[in-house]
Amino acid sequence: MACVLLTGGNGYIGSHTTAVLSERGHDVIILDNFSNSGRDVPDRLRRLTGKTFPIIEADIRDTATVTAALAEFPIDAVIHFAALKAVGESEADPLLYYDMNIVGTIRLLEAMQARNIRRIVFSSSATVYGQPDFSPIPEDAPTRVQNIYGRTKLVMENLITDLARTGKLLGAANLRYFNPVGAHPSAMIGETPAGVPNNLMPYVCQVASGIRPFLQVFGSDYDTPDGTGVRDYIHVMDLAQAHAAAVEHLLANDTAFTVNLGTGIGISVLDLVHAFEHANKRKIEYKIVPRRPGDVASYFANPEAAEKLLGWKARLGIEEMCRDAWVWEAKRGGINDV
Ligand code: NAD
Ligand code: UD1
C-alpha cells in the first residue's frame, strides 16, 4: 500500500482517482488551490469513501509551502493533475498557461526533489497528437500540437521524461487521456463545468435537464461515417483505475513510459446523442451548425500499450458513460425521475 499525493486531487479526474486509490487500499493526500473545484468535494469524498483525506490548500507554484507540506507525509508517489485545461483560454492568455502548467510543474518537481520523492504520474492529453494521420493512434504517432494548452502538455511530458532519463526520477508515467466523461456511479462526485460547457457530454446533459434548449452539432460534413466528429470517450472511473494501475506499476518497477488511455472505439456526436437517449430515455434536441474552428474530424486511441504494460483496459461503454453522466447531472439539478 502506498501514500500518494494528488495535485489537483479535488478536481474532476482527481476526485474519482482519490476514490479508486482509497478503495484499492492506498493513502491519499490532496494538494489543490480550489481554483477550479468545489469546497464541497472533500465532504462528498468523505461520505463516499468513509475516509477523510488530508488536504493541503496550496498553489503548485508555491515551492516553499509545497516542500513544507510534502515533509508532513511519507509520500511514495505523486499524481499530477493540477493544471489549466481550456484550449480557448490558453490561446487568449499564453503566459498564464506557460506559468501555471510549465512553471507550476517545474516548481512541483523541485519540491519533490527536495523531499526525495521520485515517482510521478502525469495527466497528459491526446491533444498532443493534433491532427493524426490515422486512427487508432499509437503512442509513437507524431505529436503536432495545435494550441498552447497542447504545447504545455507536450513540454511537461518531455520535462518528466528527461528527468527520468537522467535518473532524477525513478518512475514516470505520461498518461494521454482521450475524452474523459461520466461520473462515479453513486453520483456523489462528478464534473461541474463553469458556465456554458465547451465539451459535448456536459452540454448534452444540460440539454437533457432543460438548462439549454438544444445541442449544436458542430458540422455534419466531416469524412466520418455519419459526417459528425468522432472521438474516443472514456469513462472517468476507467481512467481512475488506470491511474491506480500506473502508480502501482511505478512502485514495483523503476521505469518511464507514455501510454494512451482510451477505449479504442470511435463514437460520433450523433452516436453519443442516440446512446444518451437510449440509456436515459430523454430526448436530446439538436441542430446541425457549422464546424467549430480547430476541431479534428476523427481520432481514437490504440489502447493496447496500456493493457500490455499495466494490465489495464477500459471496461465501461458509451451507455454507462451516458447513464452516469446523466445521473450526476440530474441529481445536481434536483431532477428526481431518473
Ligand atoms: P479540473 O479542473 O477539474 O481539476 C484540476 C484541479 O487542479 C482543480 O481542482 C483545480 O482547483 C486544481 N488546480 C488548478 N491549478 C492549480 C494550481 N496552480 N495549484 C493547485 N491546484 C490547482 O480538471 P480535470 O478535468 O480533472 O483535469 C485534470 C488533469 O487532466 C489536467 O491536467 C488536465 O489538463 C488533464 N486532462 C483533462 C482532460 C479532460 O477532458 N477533463 C483531458 C485530457 C487531459
Ligand atoms: C476538447 C479539447 C481538447 C480536450 C478535450 C477534453 C478543443 C479544440 N479540444 O476536445 O483539447 O483535451 O476537449 O475532453 O477544445 N461538439 C458538438 N457540440 C458541442 C460540443 C462538442 O458538436 O456543443 C462536438 C465537437 O465538434 C467534437 C465532439 O463533439 O466533434 C467532442 O467535442 P469536445 O467534447 O469539445 O472534445 P474535443 O473537441 O475532442
Side-chain angles (χ1 to χ4, degrees):
M1 294 308 108
C3 178
V4 188
L5 179 117
L6 273 54
T7 74
N10 201 56
Y12 171 45
I13 303 168
S15 58
H16 291 80
T17 304
T18 298
V20 165
L21 284 170
S22 168
E23 197 181 286
R24 285 167 75 142
H26 301 296
D27 291 329
V28 176
I29 318 294
I30 292 173
L31 189 149
D32 205 295
N33 67 357
F34 292 88
S35 59
N36 198 39
S37 53
R39 294 271 167 195
D40 57 335
V41 174
D43 189 51
R44 288 172 174 278
L45 279 170
R46 187 187 54 72
R47 285 186 283 129
L48 175 63
T49 64
K51 292 187 195 146
T52 302
F53 304 100
I55 298 197
I56 302 158
E57 185 167 349
D59 189 301
I60 49 168
R61 294 167 299 177
D62 178 356
T63 314
T65 307
V66 175
T67 310
L70 295 188
E72 276 180 50
F73 305 95
I75 294 162
D76 298 302
V78 170
I79 306 182
H80 180 29
F81 294 105
L84 296 179
K85 60 169 187 173
V87 172
E89 187 186 43
S90 76
E91 291 288 302
D93 198 345
L95 285 177
L96 175 69
Y97 272 66
Y98 282 119
D99 185 43
M100 195 73 92
N101 291 359
I102 297 175
V103 175
T105 299
I106 293 172
R107 295 285 169 262
L108 171 70
L109 288 163
E110 284 168 350
M112 287 171 61
Q113 197 161 294
R115 294 288 169 218
N116 202 27
I117 299 168
R118 298 173 73 188
R119 291 179 175 82
I120 190 165
V121 173
F122 173 60
S123 294
S124 188
S125 168
T127 200
V128 298
Y129 296 118
Q131 186 95 41
D133 293 327
F134 58 85
S135 287
I137 310 174
E139 287 79 0
D140 61 2
T143 48
R144 302 183 180 123
V145 292
Q146 291 180 321
N147 51 61
I148 287 159
Y149 166 68
R151 188 172 312 284
T152 66
K153 286 287 170 199
L154 199 56
V155 171
M156 291 183 280
E157 275 195 10
N158 289 334
L159 175 61
I160 286 166
T161 303
D162 279 343
L163 292 190
R165 184 176 54 75
T166 53
K168 306 289 181 209
L169 287 170
L170 292 178
N174 290 315
L175 306 183
R176 292 179 175 165
Y177 314 160
F178 279 66
N179 289 50
V181 295
H184 193 281
S186 67
M188 290 177 74
I189 51 173
E191 185 177 18
T192 314
V196 182
N198 283 317
N199 295 124
L200 180 62
M201 183 70 93
Y203 203 104
V204 167
C205 285
Q206 293 197 1
V207 173
S209 67
I211 298 175
R212 319 235 166 245
F214 58 88
L215 169 72
Q216 298 186 70
V217 175
F218 297 141
S220 62
D221 56 351
Y222 285 110
D223 184 16
T224 60
D226 66 16
T228 66
V230 167
R231 296 291 183 271
D232 186 340
Y233 298 95
I234 174 166
H235 198 296
V236 67
M237 292 304 293
D238 275 332
L239 203 55
Q241 292 289 353
H243 286 76
V247 167
E248 288 163 7
H249 188 75
L250 291 187
L251 290 166
N253 307 274
D254 291 347
T255 183
F257 60 91
T258 298
V259 291
N260 290 334
L261 296 180
T263 61
I265 300 168
I267 302 280
S268 76
V269 176
L270 293 182
D271 288 338
L272 187 144
V273 166
H274 296 139
F276 191 97
E277 291 181 332
H278 186 256
N280 299 316
K281 312 285 174 264
R282 295 251 152 184
K283 182 97 189 89
I284 302 299
E285 300 295 342
Y286 67 85
K287 289 185 185 163
I288 309 284
V289 300
R291 294 179 179 192
R292 181 170 66 177
D295 270 358
V296 171
S298 172
Y299 66 82
F300 49 95
N302 178 336
E304 285 168 12
E307 184 172 5
K308 211 176 280 172
L309 197 65
L310 306 175
W312 168 92
K313 73 180 208 186
R315 306 215 165 269
L316 300 166
I318 192 67
E319 293 252 337
E320 284 109 336
M321 299 181 214
C322 291
R323 181 199 63 203
D324 293 338
W326 170 239
V327 176
W328 161 249
E329 176 75 23
K331 203 167 161 186
R332 283 197 311 139
I335 296 168
N336 297 317
D337 61 333
V338 287

